[in-house]
Amino acid sequence: MPELPEVETVRRILHPVIVGQAIQGITLGTFPEVIGSTMEGLDPVALLIGQSFTDTSRRGKYLILHLDNGLYLIVHLRMTGRLLLVPWIDPPVRFQYVAIHLGNGLDLRFGDQRKFGRLTLSTPDDVTQLDRRLGPEPFASSLNASTLRDVLAKRPGKIKNALLDQGVIAGLGNIYVDEALYRARIHPERSSNTLALDELKRVLRAVRLVLNQSLARQGTTFSSFENPYGEQGTNASFLRAYGRASAGGLCLRCGAPMERIVVGGRGTTFCPRCQVNRIP
DNA sequence: CAATCAACCTGGGTGC
DNA sequence: TGCACCCAGGTTGATT
């Protein structure tokens, strides 16, 4: 479940190791479709070999690796994707589908138990379109309670669904939306367009807090997330909402039993006493 | 246009 | 012990 903090954790580790490195070769596994290109008829593997990584960036949950021919390798981990740094000579990791051999003797390996993640060789225009399609970054100064209210004004749907929509804010997933709404004391099924400015301020502050805290702990490992060195994030034990209903967990604020419902097809944990679905 | 939902996968868990 | 079934969730695309 890599969301913004997990993807950014991966990026920060990869950056100093891969930038400046040339791609000496690429070995594909049993699922070669995992790597593709937006340029019709062009083989992404052939185009990648010989290129060097010049920079890394991130937009929402997309990891963008910059190449010196002006193209980009865009990686999305989806749910169970992993990027690992290991020596060339190491045996394949579990569910490994791509090994990018770097000049420094390391491999950048991509593995994915569920085959949802993708590596896509992309043009500058693709990156521009991605940027346009996504909402603001959670930490963008252009994002505030007032601009959020404007975006949500025409959305009568549930606030949880709006926050999961990458076109509203980029980078949030199920875990951090539940955490943020819990901290902001907003019911996940509250109609987006009924939130008052001070409530949106609480939401935004909570979003930024939970993302920052998770970033400081190298992300949340609930089941499968690992950084490129195979290390787990340590944020899971600090979660206050996500996953706490199934264990009969109590609200850490008021002691009421946490509740689990389904919102937009996703498991949702909240405190029925602190997060009341009512317009103030 | 917005909301909803199936589809994509597979390991792990549950119930019988 | 085995087996059928369900669940987890990010994104896309079809449908309502």
Side-chain angles (χ1 to χ4, degrees):
Chain A
M1 299 156 255
E3 307 176 29
L4 186 150
E6 290 75 31
V7 178
E8 179 63 16
T9 294
V10 170
R11 191 198 67 77
R12 289 179 184 178
I13 290 176
L14 289 186
H15 184 93
V17 179
I18 72 168
V19 168
Q21 296 298 317
I23 298 173
Q24 313 273 355
I26 292 176
T27 303
L28 297 180
T30 56
F31 182 54
E33 300 92 332
V34 74
I35 186 165
S37 164
T38 62
M39 293 158 283
E40 201 112 346
L42 293 182
D43 175 17
V45 171
L47 280 171
L48 281 166
I49 292 174
Q51 295 302 309
S52 293
F53 293 112
T54 57
D55 199 3
T56 68
S57 56
R58 179 193 55 72
R59 185 73 172 91
K61 302 170 193 170
Y62 294 84
L63 177 63
I64 305 174
L65 308 181
H66 304 225
L67 300 161
D68 62 3
N69 60 359
L71 298 180
Y72 302 85
L73 186 62
I74 300 183
V75 182
H76 200 300
L77 302 173
R78 294 288 184 106
M79 265 91 79
T80 51
R82 292 189 302 167
L83 280 173
L84 294 168
L85 288 168
V86 296
W88 280 17
I89 56 165
D90 274 24
V93 300
R94 219 152 128 75
F95 310 112
Q96 176 178 314
Y97 298 118
V98 182
I100 297 175
H101 313 305
L102 304 175
N104 57 7
L106 294 178
D107 273 353
L108 178 59
R109 307 233 185 126
F110 179 82
D112 190 352
Q113 174 201 123
R114 288 166 76 176
K115 301 182 180 174
F116 283 178
R118 289 291 182 273
L119 288 71
T120 308
L121 187 63
S122 306
T123 65
D125 191 52
D126 294 328
V127 174
T128 303
Q129 286 187 36
L130 177 67
D131 185 56
R132 260 201 301 246
R133 194 162 57 77
L134 296 175
E137 289 289 314
F139 296 106
S141 55
S142 62
L143 174 65
N144 57 52
S146 165
T147 62
L148 189 54
R149 184 180 57 176
D150 293 343
V151 171
L152 298 180
K154 42 185 183 295
R155 299 182 67 120
K158 300 166 180 173
I159 183 65
K160 166 148 183 176
N161 290 337
L163 294 177
L164 285 171
D165 186 337
Q166 302 300 295
V168 173
I169 300 177
L172 299 179
N174 206 36
I175 294 177
Y176 299 110
V177 168
D178 273 13
E179 290 300 306
L181 288 176
Y182 172 79
R183 286 184 182 260
R185 305 191 306 282
I186 301 293
H187 193 287
E189 292 181 300
R190 180 80 177 277
S191 290
S192 304
N193 60 1
T194 68
L195 271 80
L197 257 191
D198 68 308
E199 292 181 304
L200 291 171
K201 277 182 191 164
R202 293 210 307 267
V203 169
L204 209 47
R205 205 169 9 208
V207 162
R208 288 167 169 163
L209 179 75
V210 298
L211 294 180
N212 265 329
Q213 290 192 342
S214 183
L215 263 171
R217 299 180 182 123
Q218 298 220 88
T220 300
T221 299
F222 206 74
S223 55
S224 64
F225 171 71
E226 291 179 355
N227 74 24
Y229 293 130
E231 301 159 341
Q232 306 196 335
T234 60
N235 193 58
S237 54
F238 294 89
L239 298 178
R240 299 188 183 184
Y242 182 87
R244 293 197 65 251
S246 46
L250 305 179
C251 173
L252 294 171
R253 218 164 19 214
C254 78
M258 298 292 280
E259 208 166 286
R260 186 186 182 279
I261 57 176
V262 174
V263 179
R266 290 171 175 87
T268 300
T269 305
F270 72 106
C271 171
R273 197 187 295 175
C274 295
Q275 294 166 267
V276 179
N277 193 356
R278 172 162 36 79
I279 301 170

